[in-house]
Amino acid sequence: MLPAVAYRIGMDLVDAQGVADAVARFGDRYLHRIYTERELAECNCGQLLAPMRLAARFAAKEATLKVLAMTDGVPLRSIEVQSGFGRPPKLVLAGEAADRAERENLSDFLVSLTHDGGMSAAVVLATVGRG
Amino acid sequence: MAAKPDAEIVDQVRRVLADHARLPMPVEGLAQDDDLYQAGMTSHASVTVMLALEDTFEVEFPDGMLTRGTFASIGAMAGAVTQLRSPST
C-alpha cells in the first residue's frame, strides 16, 4: 500500500489598484520592502501590467505564509516568485521562510498565479513530510 | 510595562487608517481594540498602513514587529509607535 501524502494549500487575492497606489505613494520603500530584485526586474513591464504582476506576487507571498501557518516576523522578501518564461513559475524560500518550511517538514512548493478584472490571485501547494 | 499611547498618537493612527487601510466603514466608528482585519483590512492594506505610520511618526518597524498583532487594532499600532519612539534604555 502506498503511503498517504499530505498537502498544505494557501490562496490569496490582491487588488492591483492597491499595489499601483502603494507604488505611487511610497515608491522604492514599498517595492524593496516587499519584492526581491529579481521579482522587480521580472515585473518591469510597463504601467498597465506591472501592478497586476506585482499584485500576483504579493498574493503568492501571502498564500505561502498561509501554507507555512506563520504570518509573524517573516519578511516577504524571503519568499520569491521566479517567472517561468513559458514554464510554470517557481517559488523559492530563503531565510525565515525556508527555516519555517524545514521545521514544518514542508517541501515541493508549487505556485500558480492569475489576474483578471484588476484582481490578482495565487495558489500555493506544499507537500508535508517528504523531502 | 509599556507606556500608554497618548491621545494625539491614537488620533494620528486613525488618520493614517482613514487614508490607507481601505476599510469599508468610517474609522471614527472603530474602537481602539476593534480587530481591523475583521473590519476588512487586507494584508496588502496593512503593508501600506505600516509604511504610512513610518512616514507619519518617523520610525521604522523592524522585522520582528511586522506581526499581525502589531497592526491588528488602533490601540496595538499606537502602542507599537509609542514603543518605537521611546528612547532606548
Side-chain angles (χ1 to χ4, degrees), chain B residues 49-65:
Chain B
V49 164
M50 180 267 293
L51 291 168
L53 288 173
E54 290 186 335
D55 282 350
T56 298
F57 295 103
E58 297 183 336
V59 297
E60 183 171 340
F61 286 91
D63 284 346
M65 286 184 76

Side-chain angles (χ1 to χ4, degrees), chain A residues 6-81:
Chain A
Y7 301 97
R8 281 201 204 163
I9 189 167
M11 180 175 179
D12 202 61
L13 181 69
V14 177
D15 183 351
Q17 187 59 51
V19 172
D21 291 345
V23 173
R25 171 68 176 82
F26 300 106
D28 283 347
R29 277 182 58 228
Y30 164 80
L31 291 170
H32 292 290
R33 203 73 171 259
I34 307 298
Y35 304 99
T36 66
E37 293 302 323
R38 176 174 181 150
E39 288 174 325
L40 293 175
E42 290 177 355
C43 291
N44 187 15
C45 49
Q47 259 188 319
L48 194 61
L49 279 180
M52 287 192 285
R53 293 177 68 98
L54 290 170
R57 278 147 184 79
F58 189 95
K61 295 168 189 279
E62 286 293 320
T64 302
L65 292 179
K66 293 173 184 177
V67 169
L68 296 173
M70 180 179 188
T71 56
D72 290 350
V74 176
L76 292 177
R77 286 170 53 92
S78 69
I79 302 165
E80 180 179 74
V81 176

Side-chain angles (χ1 to χ4, degrees), chain B residues 21-25 30 35-43 45:
Chain B
R22 299 163 79 104
L23 291 170
M25 76 283 286
L30 291 168
D35 188 316
L36 295 173
Y37 297 106
Q38 291 288 327
M41 186 173 72
T42 66
S43 51

Side-chain angles (χ1 to χ4, degrees), chain B:
Chain B
M1 182 184 295
K4 187 178 174 184
D6 67 31
E8 176 57 26
I9 290 178
V10 172
D11 284 346
Q12 286 182 291
V13 169
R14 286 185 181 273
R15 285 196 287 274
V16 166
L17 288 171
D19 289 342
H20 296 283
R22 299 163 79 104
L23 291 170
M25 76 283 286
V27 173
E28 306 86 74
L30 291 168
Q32 279 195 39
D33 59 354
D34 279 346
D35 188 316
L36 295 173
Y37 297 106
Q38 291 288 327
M41 186 173 72
T42 66
S43 51
H44 187 267
S46 72
V47 171
T48 59
V49 164
M50 180 267 293
L51 291 168
L53 288 173
E54 290 186 335
D55 282 350
T56 298
F57 295 103
E58 297 183 336
V59 297
E60 183 171 340
F61 286 91
D63 284 346
M65 286 184 76
L66 295 179
T67 69
R68 193 172 173 89
T70 297
F71 302 97
S73 69
I74 294 167
M77 282 187 255
V81 165
T82 300
Q83 181 182 337
L84 288 171
R85 291 175 66 168
S86 296
S88 303
T89 54

